[in-house]
Amino acid sequence: NEGLRQVKHSLYGLLNSDLWVPSQWLPPLLKQFKLHAEVAILQPHILDYKKQSYFEYAGAAGGFIDQYGFPFCRGRILQNLEQDTGQYDQTRAVFWASGACFLIRSEVFWKLGGFDSDFFAHQEEIDLCWRAQRNGLAIYAIGDSKVYHLGGGTLRQSATKIYLNHRNSLYLLIKNLPSKQLFATLLVRMLLDGLAGVFYFIQGKWSYTMAIIRAH
């Protein structure tokens, strides 16, 4: 947020530090902004830098969220990554755009209040996209634009990452779900997160189990 306050432009492009972009990644995104005034946020397809014909975990071909608040993507379910054969190249609306690489209208960014700094890291872009949709704005993934993500270059798998993912996922629900859905959803999440904690404990990853408890 502090950095973007220094940028005077109608569009912001946010890219992770471990992302590589080819020379023609930007024109297809700019074209969509010109054609569709209702579109607030655009994401290119994100492929694996090390295995460039496959989608990458952090965003793939555009993000969605299930009824219990678990994010997933076209081209990626859990740890299973699809090969990009053009099956998702058609431009379409998605629920969230990956923070690894997306463009947003600057007016929209500030109208929404920017990123919620309470997230610190992980899923703050999903929260921003959820708030955008609650304001009637559209988010699209653009298959004509492809970028390449190394992945894990900013924060590798650790107890800290487990903690942030679980905590922020819960915070995302508490902040954005209608109150009538919240209690039942959190109850199921407590059960599912508990099972994840038991799984880590059996594997001997006790710090991961404690991270989930701390997140709750």
Side-chain angles (χ1 to χ4, degrees), residues 4-13 26 30 103-110:
L4 288 175
R5 285 192 179 94
Q6 314 308 314
V7 179
K8 308 304 179 185
H9 202 282
S10 60
L11 297 173
Y12 293 150
L26 201 51
L30 298 179
L103 269 64
I104 183 171
R105 298 184 192 273
S106 57
E107 181 182 5
V108 169
F109 185 83
W110 295 116

Side-chain angles (χ1 to χ4, degrees), residues 116-124 159-175 186 189 193 211-216:
D116 183 342
S117 60
D118 285 341
F119 281 83
F120 173 66
H122 296 306
Q123 302 188 41
E124 70 277 11
T160 299
K161 190 166 187 173
I162 295 290
Y163 162 71
L164 288 170
N165 271 324
H166 281 267
R167 184 201 67 170
N168 291 356
S169 180
L170 294 169
Y171 184 36
L172 187 72
L173 296 177
I174 291 167
K175 182 176 176 183
L186 287 179
R189 278 298 303 272
D193 286 0
I212 292 175
I213 294 171
R214 181 178 165 221
H216 278 264

Side-chain angles (χ1 to χ4, degrees), residues 24-180:
Q24 292 302 308
W25 76 285
L26 201 51
L29 302 173
L30 298 179
K31 180 181 177 181
Q32 288 296 321
F33 275 125
K34 290 178 181 178
L35 291 176
H36 302 287
E38 79 282 4
V39 173
I41 303 171
L42 292 175
Q43 177 202 302
H45 284 190
I46 300 174
L47 303 178
D48 190 330
Y49 181 78
K50 293 181 178 178
K51 201 175 181 181
Q52 296 190 359
S53 64
Y54 282 79
F55 289 107
E56 208 275 330
Y57 183 90
F64 296 87
I65 196 167
D66 72 13
Q67 61 181 323
Y68 301 119
F70 292 109
F72 64 97
C73 305
R74 291 188 303 164
R76 184 266 287 177
I77 302 293
L78 298 176
Q79 301 296 326
N80 297 313
L81 299 167
E82 293 181 35
Q83 187 171 13
D84 179 15
T85 60
Q87 68 271 42
Y88 301 120
D89 275 1
Q90 185 176 3
T91 296
R92 66 154 296 175
V94 295
F95 189 84
W96 57 271
S98 171
C101 184
F102 73 85
L103 269 64
I104 183 171
R105 298 184 192 273
S106 57
E107 181 182 5
V108 169
F109 185 83
W110 295 116
K111 179 182 177 182
L112 296 172
F115 290 119
D116 183 342
S117 60
D118 285 341
F119 281 83
F120 173 66
H122 296 306
Q123 302 188 41
E124 70 277 11
E125 78 270 44
I126 303 178
D127 170 65
L128 183 72
C129 290
W130 199 332
R131 286 184 279 132
Q133 292 196 75
R134 283 164 51 192
N135 281 269
L137 300 168
I139 302 153
Y140 281 87
I142 309 299
D144 289 340
S145 175
K146 299 181 192 292
V147 299
Y148 300 86
H149 189 216
L150 184 61
T154 304
L155 183 61
R156 298 188 183 280
Q157 186 74 342
S158 64
T160 299
K161 190 166 187 173
I162 295 290
Y163 162 71
L164 288 170
N165 271 324
H166 281 267
R167 184 201 67 170
N168 291 356
S169 180
L170 294 169
Y171 184 36
L172 187 72
L173 296 177
I174 291 167
K175 182 176 176 183
N176 292 291
L177 267 183
S179 55
K180 62 182 180 181

